[in-house]
Amino acid sequence: MHGVIDVPAELAAQEKYNKEAGRAFIAALPDLAAAFLHRWNLRVTGTSMHGVSALVLPVDRADGTPAVLKLQIRDHESEGEPIALRLWNGDGAVRLLDHDEPTGTMLLERLDASRMLAHRPDVHEGVLVIARLLAHLHTTPAPEGMRRLGDIARSMLERTPAALDRIPDPAARRLVADCAAAVREVADEPGDRLLHWDLHDENVLAADRAPWLAIDPKPLAGDPGFDLWPALANNFDAEDVVWRFDAMTDVLALDRARARAWTYGRVLQNCLWETEDGRPPDEADLEIARRLRGRTT
């Protein structure tokens, strides 16, 4: 059974992100896959796919229905995925067919991985597709127990002073401090919508039942403005940031000042991760923040 799946080298190397848990996950993958192929009566029908911490196997169910088996490390980001997919129930997102709570293993409807939004040449079309999908997803209130943007915001603000001390460039340091100040203004009203958090153009696939559907959410409860950043950063073009922001806030009918503050929050989150890992803030993130200055109307 160990020969049933191929663990890609890039996935095996992800232990650098998850340390011991990552090594244990990779070691257990062949047996884990075998167990769920047997338990759900599945047959592997194609080549495996993978992300940073998940392996996806194309399979057929016993009745011939195509699906995918997703095996992943269960962490604070991924543990809410089946809950969100069940609540969305296929409206704008891939359908959840089955789920094993202890391991986080999921059986999902199979979409067309060969038709990914990232492959479309018109970037503006992609931004609007993402905005329309988010409009569907954000109609759902987040359930109790979902990780919450308010907690994330408080943590970011607590970590900001130490991060600022590690940024030598005064202009970058000032911009990160401005992002934190913007988050502080809205932190007491973090929102209650069910957010995707990671809806970039590689997480949007075509399907027979819908032109485009979202996959791979890292859900949390919060303000829709916190969901805009991936579409601003995709195929990054500094000159296009304001157009994308305005187009998305129009489609989603968001207050632009508030959406800008929570987009600053995403920039702050990224800058904290970079700084805490000993790297300078990403220049594209800083440029997004610069370009959004003054976008209050």
Side-chain angles (χ1 to χ4, degrees):
M1 205 41 128
H2 279 246
V4 167
I5 69 165
D6 172 33
V7 180
E10 297 88 347
L11 178 60
Q14 67 80 48
E15 67 184 51
K16 67 183 178 181
Y17 301 106
N18 291 286
K19 307 298 187 285
E20 289 297 329
R23 283 189 286 272
F25 172 71
I26 294 302
L29 253 182
D31 288 339
L32 187 66
F36 281 99
L37 290 171
H38 175 74
R39 174 173 164 182
W40 288 335
N41 200 6
L42 307 171
R43 181 174 63 88
V44 177
T45 58
T47 305
S48 65
M49 299 165 283
H50 69 92
V52 172
S53 56
L55 183 72
V56 177
L57 299 174
V59 296
D60 280 351
R61 306 181 84 176
D63 63 1
T65 303
V68 294
L69 179 66
K70 184 174 183 178
L71 306 140
Q72 62 184 343
I73 291 178
R74 187 176 178 194
D75 58 20
H76 69 282
E77 290 186 354
S78 66
E79 66 182 2
E81 181 175 358
I83 298 170
L85 293 179
R86 191 172 290 116
L87 287 170
W88 286 326
N89 193 28
D91 183 12
V94 64
R95 279 201 177 99
L96 178 69
L97 304 177
D98 211 335
H99 168 233
D100 179 68
E101 197 276 335
T103 64
T105 302
M106 293 181 292
L107 187 66
L108 304 165
E109 73 171 313
R110 193 190 304 176
L111 308 183
D112 189 346
S114 70
R115 291 189 291 154
M116 182 184 292
L117 186 60
H119 299 159
R120 303 285 287 201
D122 188 338
V123 173
H124 283 185
E125 176 197 3
V127 169
L128 293 174
V129 166
I130 288 172
R132 292 173 191 133
L133 286 174
L134 289 175
H136 279 285
L137 303 181
H138 292 164
T139 61
T140 302
E144 290 296 324
M146 185 66 66
R147 66 185 181 127
R148 310 198 78 78
L149 179 54
D151 297 331
I152 293 170
R154 282 189 290 274
S155 173
M156 291 194 298
L157 293 174
E158 289 169 359
R159 291 150 51 205
T160 294
L164 291 175
D165 288 341
R166 300 191 188 104
I167 301 174
D169 179 66
R173 187 167 60 247
R174 184 165 54 251
L175 192 53
V176 174
D178 288 345
C179 288
V183 172
R184 196 171 291 110
E185 290 294 318
V186 294
D188 289 340
E189 297 181 48
D192 65 352
R193 299 293 90 188
L194 185 55
L195 306 185
H196 184 288
W197 188 84
D198 196 28
L199 196 55
H200 53 76
D201 59 7
E202 292 186 352
N203 275 344
V204 180
L205 301 180
D208 291 337
R209 68 176 179 86
W212 300 106
L213 293 169
I215 65 168
D216 201 24
K218 304 291 186 285
L220 67 152
D223 189 286
F226 202 65
D227 251 353
L228 304 184
W229 175 85
L232 301 178
N234 274 167
N235 307 294
F236 181 68
D237 179 352
E239 298 298 326
D240 207 34
V241 167
V242 171
W243 184 92
R244 297 184 195 188
F245 179 80
D246 287 353
M248 295 186 79
T249 51
D250 280 346
V251 170
L252 290 161
L254 300 182
D255 175 86
R256 282 191 176 147
R258 187 172 185 81
R260 183 187 67 161
W262 282 119
T263 301
Y264 273 144
R266 287 298 294 272
V267 171
L268 177 62
Q269 186 177 54
N270 294 341
C271 290
L272 289 172
W273 286 337
E274 293 296 305
T275 302
E276 290 166 354
D277 284 343
R279 297 184 295 270
D282 183 78
E283 185 55 38
D285 277 321
L286 296 178
E287 188 61 25
I288 287 171
R290 291 188 194 101
R291 296 283 174 155
L292 292 183
R293 279 177 169 163
R295 301 305 299 172
T296 58
T297 59

